[in-house]
Amino acid sequence: MHPYEILIRPLITEKTQWQVGYDMPQYSFEVDSRANKSQIAEAVEVAFNVKVERVAVINMPAKRRRSPRSSTRGRKSAHIQRSAQWKKAIVQVSKDSRIALFEGVA
């Protein structure tokens, strides 16, 4: 897998902005579901020119929700949709490394 195919998008939320401010900054990404920790670390190092210390991977489960288009009422007759499951990676970089993409976003 090519390193640029592994990283899908950065995750920017309130919690991830707190993690950027740590002594050892942590950044969150949505990654390809086939990627492992070493591939994710290599992709971040190549894409952002930083030194990766640690990678944590979380498989986010699919979520169910009722379709807003269903014209019938009731729980059993509603159309149920499912969002796809995805993989999230939290990457910790060394103290002197920062990713400029996350800086100043709030």
Side-chain angles (χ1 to χ4, degrees), residues 8-9 14 16-17 20-21 25 27-28 35 41 45-47 56 62 68 72 74 81-82 87 91 95 103-104:
I8 296 173
R9 68 184 176 106
E14 286 184 40
T16 60
Q17 290 307 302
V20 169
Y27 301 97
S28 299
E45 287 178 350
V46 168
T72 58
Q81 294 178 334
R82 236 182 116 172
K87 188 180 267 192
V91 179
K95 284 185 177 183
E103 298 297 321

Side-chain angles (χ1 to χ4, degrees), residues 51-97:
K51 174 73 173 101
V52 174
E53 298 289 327
R54 183 174 70 88
V55 177
V57 177
I58 302 121
N59 287 312
M60 303 301 288
K63 293 185 177 180
R64 291 178 155 185
R65 61 188 166 114
R66 281 196 258 168
S67 172
R69 297 184 313 166
S70 64
S71 61
T72 58
R73 294 187 180 202
R75 291 179 59 189
K76 293 186 180 181
S77 60
H79 296 282
I80 295 181
Q81 294 178 334
R82 236 182 116 172
S83 64
Q85 71 180 39
W86 53 286
K87 188 180 267 192
K88 175 168 71 171
I90 300 173
V91 179
Q92 182 175 345
V93 299
S94 61
K95 284 185 177 183
D96 55 343
S97 299

